[in-house]
């Protein structure tokens, strides 16, 4: 019995290392600002026990790296939303490279169109829109309707960009500062 458990642990460790080696590409151009590895690791440290078996929303997906990371950490599904053609091509390429496309849905539309038509409920939503455009605040107004009651909304934005302390039933839980960037979590 112990030998079988050790084999299973070794299998999962090698599988996870293989997934980590699969690097994602980023869309080219000045319109995309990928989340840094430092921020990505911080976000997944915050939700480390909440990812497995959950539905993840990567709104403003860019390269899709946040949703792909969630899938590699055991998320049940990930939905990627972006309206930029280059970003969507990159998300699809990255999903194929990591062999995670079967657990993913990619939506070619802006955030408000997606949230208006969406019927799926999410456990985790990650929002990282272009900075200082008002899109984060607008998305935060709409996202709570797509969330499960026990979910968490995570927003990435610059320190000088203001956001409210509650959206729908979701209230500000914590804020984390990483240089000029802050990560804010909202929970019910």
């Amino acid at each position: 019995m112990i030998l079988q458990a050790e084999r299973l642990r070794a299998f999962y460790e090698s599988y996870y290392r293989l997934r980590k080696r699969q690097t994602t590409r980023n869309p080219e151009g000045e319109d995309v600002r990928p989340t840094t590895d430092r921020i990505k690791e911080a976000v997944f440290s915050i939700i480390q026990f909440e990812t497995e078996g959950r539905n993840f929303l990567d709104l403003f997906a860019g390269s899709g790296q946040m949703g792909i990371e969630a899938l590699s950490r055991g998320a049940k599904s990930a939905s990627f939303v972006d309206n930029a053609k280059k970003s969507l091509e990159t998300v699809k390429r990255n999903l194929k490279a990591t062999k995670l496309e079967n657990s993913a849905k990619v939506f070619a539309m802006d955030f408000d169109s997606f949230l208006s038509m969406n019927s799926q409920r999410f456990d985790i939503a990650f929002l990282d829109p272009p900075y200082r455009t008002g899109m984060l605040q607008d998305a935060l107004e709409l996202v709570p309707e797509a969330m499960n009651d026990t979910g968490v909304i995570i927003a990435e934005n610059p320190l000088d960009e203001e956001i409210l302390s509650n959206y729908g039933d979701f209230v500000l839980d914590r804020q984390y500062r990483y240089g000029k960037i802050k990560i804010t979590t909202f929970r019910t």
Side-chain angles (χ1 to χ4, degrees):
M1 189 72 113
I2 292 173
L3 185 58
Q4 186 177 11
E6 287 177 17
R7 283 185 189 158
L8 190 58
R9 183 182 56 76
F11 168 78
Y12 281 113
E13 285 176 358
S14 67
Y15 176 78
Y16 187 70
R17 278 193 302 275
L18 175 67
R19 286 278 189 229
K20 285 303 220 183
R21 274 186 268 159
Q22 299 278 354
T23 57
T24 56
R25 296 175 184 245
N26 292 316
E28 294 182 16
E30 296 177 16
D31 298 339
V32 178
R33 175 199 31 78
T35 297
T36 65
D37 286 341
R38 180 178 180 212
I39 300 291
K40 180 170 65 172
E41 288 304 318
V43 166
F44 284 97
S45 177
I46 294 166
I47 59 170
Q48 64 182 325
F49 301 113
E50 301 175 69
T51 308
E52 193 169 338
R54 305 299 168 89
N55 295 317
F56 190 94
L57 173 60
D58 192 347
L59 207 57
F60 311 100
S63 68
Q65 68 172 327
M66 297 302 282
I68 289 170
E69 185 71 20
L71 289 171
S72 75
R73 291 179 184 236
K76 178 181 173 183
S77 70
S79 294
F80 301 85
V81 181
D82 210 301
N83 63 350
K85 185 177 179 182
K86 284 183 183 178
S87 292
L88 294 166
E89 290 169 357
T90 303
V91 169
K92 290 175 183 174
R93 193 170 40 248
N94 287 336
L95 285 166
K96 187 172 181 149
T98 56
K99 297 179 176 33
L100 293 169
E101 62 263 44
N102 290 338
S103 301
K105 294 179 187 171
V106 179
F107 297 90
M109 59 182 62
D110 59 27
F111 74 94
D112 53 348
S113 296
F114 172 78
L115 292 169
S116 296
M117 58 73 69
N118 173 62
S119 61
Q120 183 178 359
R121 307 294 278 176
F122 298 99
D123 302 295
I124 303 167
F126 180 76
L127 287 66
D128 180 18
Y131 291 167
R132 299 178 188 89
T133 60
M135 293 169 75
L136 176 60
Q137 295 80 356
D138 292 344
L140 282 167
E141 292 286 345
L142 300 172
V143 167
E145 294 299 316
M147 299 297 294
N148 286 321
D149 292 339
T150 58
V152 59
I153 300 170
I154 305 162
E156 176 185 334
N157 61 300
L159 287 173
D160 62 353
E161 186 174 29
E162 294 296 319
I163 53 178
L164 300 176
S165 60
N166 66 299
Y167 293 91
D169 292 335
F170 284 78
V171 296
L172 191 146
D173 176 44
R174 290 199 172 155
Q175 287 189 320
Y176 307 84
R177 181 180 172 172
Y178 300 93
K180 296 178 181 180
I181 304 300
K182 67 181 168 185
I183 298 295
T184 307
T185 58
F186 295 90
R187 298 175 189 271
T188 55

